[in-house]
Amino acid sequence: MHIGFIGLGVMGRAMALNLLRGGHQLAIWARRPESLQPLLAAGAVAGATPAAVGQRSEVVFTMLTAGADVECVALGLDGLADGLAAASLLVDMSTIAPGMARSLAQRLGERAIDMLDAPVSGGGQAAIAASLAIMVGGKAAVLERARPLLALLGKTIVHVGDNGAGQVAKACNQMIMVGAIQAIAEALHFSAAAGADPAKVRQALAGGSAGSRALEAMGGRMVDRDFAAGVEARLHHKDYGILMDEAYRLGVPLPLAAQVGQQLNALMAMGWGRSDTASLLRVLEASRRAAG
């Protein structure tokens, strides 16, 4: 197929390469020209604008940071909608607000362009390995058109519901995942304060009911004091903002998530937004030092 891809960061670049390896023709665009080079070397073709990518594509994937970015690329000046033909498809794999996903789908639908919101979980290594979990919102028939392409990107593809539902599932994913990171930070911080070796505590917990992928990966980072970004904390902060805004709109109480959100706010205020979210441990340590 003729496919487009916009959003060539750590995740998007790996995903686009997997689509190329699947034998598809790929058109790409990026704000930073240097982002294009690995894909051009692999056989992709650059478009001068998102509209030019749309003109070359039956299906376009976007993997961008914020809802405003997706809106601009899809519907702004020289946006995808100016190039996509009727019955073409936009698959947005970014993490954005459910309301924005619904609004984009409606506005694109007015131009006879279909849309799926299909955010992912798994991180950079899963993007490389094509083992992402993909949460899809949109029409079931549209998903079936896209499923062979999504199968090149992930192992788990779940149709959650109508447009916006994929983003709701992603918000739930972030709520649980970052909440687990905060719990691990508190456990390891407590163990150190109480005189136990955090590395040994983590090892003991890993063999019991507290064992998890989060404890393995993020607990390992905390024990090793490796705060270089796997996923930058600022992105989890952005995602938690989406979660809490949606909870406020719906009047849904999320007391634990609200507390984790405040810890992420503190992390950002301490200047660690481009470090790994394992830096939540450092927030606790800094708070204890400040308390004397």
Side-chain angles (χ1 to χ4, degrees):
M1 293 181 68
H2 293 273
I3 299 171
F5 207 107
I6 295 177
L8 302 174
V10 172
M11 298 283 290
R13 182 167 60 249
M15 295 159 71
L17 282 169
N18 283 330
L19 291 169
L20 269 175
R21 292 179 185 125
H24 300 287
Q25 298 180 55
L26 192 67
I28 55 176
W29 179 86
R31 290 192 178 96
R32 295 180 292 110
E34 61 271 21
S35 301
L36 301 173
Q37 296 309 314
L39 278 300
L40 296 176
V45 175
T49 63
V53 170
Q55 288 172 346
R56 301 178 66 100
S57 306
E58 303 162 71
V59 179
V60 177
F61 292 84
T62 48
M63 186 64 168
L64 301 164
T65 300
D69 299 324
V70 182
E71 184 177 38
C72 181
V73 163
L75 291 162
L77 181 65
D78 289 328
L80 287 167
D82 292 334
L84 287 168
S88 55
L89 171 61
L90 172 61
V91 182
D92 178 43
M93 309 192 81
S94 318
T95 299
I96 64 174
M100 174 62 82
R102 287 189 286 267
S103 173
L104 289 170
Q106 179 181 345
R107 285 179 282 167
L108 289 167
E110 291 168 358
R111 303 191 187 203
I113 299 167
D114 289 315
M115 178 179 162
L116 298 172
D117 50 284
V120 302
S121 179
Q125 287 305 309
I128 292 168
S131 60
L132 292 164
I134 306 174
M135 312 158 218
V136 186
K139 296 176 182 175
V142 176
L143 169 57
E144 292 313 306
R145 284 172 51 201
R147 189 178 290 275
L149 298 176
L150 294 174
L152 296 173
L153 305 177
K155 287 186 175 179
T156 305
I157 303 165
V158 177
H159 183 220
V160 185
D162 292 336
N163 286 110
Q167 297 297 345
V168 172
K170 181 59 184 286
C172 293
N173 181 86
Q174 302 304 72
M175 176 167 43
I176 293 169
M177 183 182 66
V178 183
I181 297 171
Q182 176 65 25
I184 292 162
E186 292 185 19
L188 297 182
H189 181 59
F190 169 75
S191 67
D197 181 349
K200 294 296 185 182
V201 169
R202 172 178 166 269
Q203 182 182 355
L205 296 178
S209 58
S212 67
R213 290 172 58 187
L215 180 63
E216 178 184 354
M218 303 304 286
R221 284 181 173 273
M222 293 175 196
V223 166
D224 295 339
R225 303 199 68 78
D226 175 13
F227 300 113
V231 176
E232 294 182 355
R234 67 184 179 89
L235 299 177
H236 286 147
H237 181 257
K238 180 266 295 185
D239 295 349
Y240 252 68
I242 292 171
L243 168 66
M244 298 314 299
D245 284 349
E246 191 71 3
Y248 178 82
R249 185 184 71 82
L250 295 169
V252 174
L254 300 177
L256 291 178
Q259 289 292 326
V260 174
Q262 289 301 316
Q263 293 299 106
L264 287 169
N265 285 343
L267 184 156
M268 296 296 293
M270 292 173 183
W272 294 323
R274 293 193 177 274
S275 299
D276 194 88
T277 308
S279 292
L280 284 168
L281 174 65
R282 293 195 283 179
V283 175
L284 295 169
E285 292 169 343
S287 297
R288 186 164 182 248
R289 286 194 299 270

